[in-house]
Amino acid sequence: MKLAVVGATGLVGTEILEVLDEHNFPYDELLLVASERSVGKQIEYKGKKHTVIGLADAVAAKPEIAIFSAGGSTSLEWAPKFAEAGTTVVDNSSAWRMDPTKKLVVPEINAKELTATDKIIANPNCSTIQMVLALEPLRNRYGIKRVVVSTYQSVTGTGKAAVDQMMAERAGTTPDMVYPHKIDMNVLPHIDVFQPNGYTKEEMKMINETKKIFSDDSIQVTSTTVRIPTMGGHSEAVNVEFKEDFDLAEVRSLLEATPGVVVQDDPANFVYPMPINAHKKDEVFVGRLRRDESQPNTLNMWIVADNLRKGAATNAVQIAEYLLENKLV
């Protein structure tokens, strides 16, 4: 089986290669694909040197699966070309997420919807993935009326250039500016571009993608997404109103029984999820579980995950694993 990683030289592409290795993903031939400026570059992976190839050559090679992490414009142009050649594309960009003809997949929640005819599969936004994975067992048990989420997102979500800006600021040197303001020692209530309704594109992604993944437009979602000067993962304060009342001990048990979720909820001993501990881990960490005392049937929770892992690379690799295990490619 041929596997292509498109955008192999970027932050998420590099993480995809690490996850493929850790998961012992089965392939016979690995194609590392990137933009023209990286073609010909040598990448050492698992003790073997690979030469980076261009997109046209990758399409011609007809891989069974191509995991894309090369940006929306590249995906819009090239994912259909791979699909026409018979390749199943798992795409990390926002290009296809809200396309009604494409599935938006978190494997633990809705991979069962996939068929062999799905040739372009969308990977959700990083901040959406970790939230819906933690909400899924609670939604199934109590039903969800409304979600209010505020995020605290790592600079790694923007990419290497943003990390470089922060580290240059921290070192006291003049950075190339990726953000409109300094990020080190600061907080930016601004992720992606502002929309006519006053929300950012990132906030609208969380709202719309949550409804699509859950196949439930009745769930009310509102979001404020914020960039903070951290690395290692995204954090979220989530306030969720259920249709039915809940028992806090049962909530904890449901989360503990959910594959891919780790409960860290012992505040008396200062145990709660933090991005510094989520770094390089595939799981979603949940803590600070407590009843909202201002209104009925409402829970507060704190959710943390490595945005380059479950928020991107790991989720994409898990989709590819599901395709192989269920003979959909």
Side-chain angles (χ1 to χ4, degrees):
M1 195 210 62
K2 290 181 186 175
L3 171 68
V5 177
V6 179
T9 58
L11 268 184
V12 176
T14 302
E15 206 73 29
I16 288 168
L17 293 175
E18 286 189 24
V19 175
L20 289 168
D21 185 19
E22 291 171 15
H23 286 217
N24 293 312
F25 188 89
Y27 58 81
D28 300 305
E29 185 178 348
L30 179 65
L31 307 173
L32 301 188
V33 189
S35 62
E36 288 303 314
R37 67 178 179 273
S38 295
V39 169
K41 181 178 178 181
Q42 294 280 304
I43 294 178
E44 187 163 328
Y45 177 63
K46 296 180 71 172
K48 181 182 175 184
K49 286 194 172 175
H50 296 261
T51 302
V52 174
I53 64 173
L55 285 151
D57 287 341
V59 171
K62 295 187 176 181
E64 276 74 20
I65 298 174
I67 302 177
F68 268 56
S69 188
S73 59
T74 299
S75 181
L76 283 171
E77 179 182 357
W78 287 93
K81 295 177 182 179
F82 277 86
E84 286 164 17
T87 300
T88 300
V89 172
V90 181
D91 181 50
N92 262 304
S93 80
S94 61
W96 305 100
R97 290 176 188 157
M98 296 313 298
D99 184 324
T101 68
K102 306 293 184 289
K103 308 281 174 60
L104 185 64
V105 175
V106 177
E108 297 91 339
I109 299 175
N110 61 346
K112 59 186 177 292
E113 296 175 9
L114 291 172
T115 70
T117 62
D118 291 308
K119 288 302 181 185
I120 299 176
I121 302 163
N123 211 41
N125 186 43
C126 47
S127 48
T128 305
I129 290 173
Q130 66 189 71
M131 183 177 75
V132 296
L133 185 59
L135 290 179
E136 171 69 352
L138 308 180
R139 181 181 75 95
N140 287 333
R141 174 65 180 86
Y142 308 113
I144 292 177
K145 286 179 67 175
R146 183 170 188 252
V147 178
V148 181
V149 54
S150 298
T151 73
Y152 307 73
Q153 295 183 220
S154 164
V155 293
T156 57
T158 309
K160 182 180 182 299
V163 175
D164 291 344
Q165 176 186 331
M166 182 179 75
M167 298 312 289
E169 290 167 346
R170 192 157 293 182
T173 59
T174 303
D176 292 328
M177 296 294 287
V178 176
Y179 300 120
H181 303 282
K182 181 182 177 183
I183 182 62
D184 192 39
M185 303 289 286
N186 197 17
V187 167
L188 303 182
H190 171 194
I191 298 179
D192 215 319
V193 296
F194 284 98
Q195 304 295 289
N197 64 356
Y199 286 77
T200 63
K201 193 174 179 182
E202 183 85 356
E203 289 159 354
M204 295 310 300
K205 287 176 190 174
M206 292 198 75
I207 293 165
N208 295 325
E209 292 177 23
T210 298
K211 295 180 180 190
K212 182 171 179 178
I213 292 164
F214 285 154
S215 299
D216 188 350
D217 285 336
S218 73
I219 297 175
Q220 298 301 300
V221 184
T222 190
S223 172
T224 302
T225 59
V226 179
R227 188 73 66 191
I228 64 172
T230 57
M231 295 168 63
H234 292 347
S235 306
E236 300 172 347
V238 177
N239 178 275
V240 53
E241 181 184 359
F242 298 114
K243 294 177 180 177
E244 300 176 14
D245 199 9
F246 60 90
D247 176 76
L248 208 51
E250 185 182 47
V251 165
R252 189 173 284 104
S253 295
L254 289 167
L255 290 166
E256 287 172 341
T258 301
V261 171
V262 174
V263 175
Q264 295 178 330
D265 189 41
D266 185 9
N269 290 301
F270 313 113
V271 175
Y272 31 70
M274 295 183 292
I276 199 169
N277 296 328
H279 185 50
K280 292 293 185 183
K281 295 186 173 70
D282 288 339
E283 295 83 8
V284 171
F285 300 89
V286 182
R288 296 297 318 278
L289 297 167
R290 62 209 188 277
R291 188 176 287 275
D292 180 345
E293 297 180 347
S294 71
Q295 67 172 15
N297 304 349
T298 304
L299 176 75
N300 282 308
M301 57 201 303
W302 178 250
I303 304 170
V304 176
D306 187 328
N307 53 292
L308 298 182
R309 285 282 177 139
K310 184 56 180 172
T314 300
N315 200 74
V317 170
Q318 288 174 322
I319 292 172
E321 288 172 332
Y322 184 91
L323 294 173
L324 284 181
E325 289 164 7
N326 291 274
K327 297 180 171 56
L328 300 179
V329 292

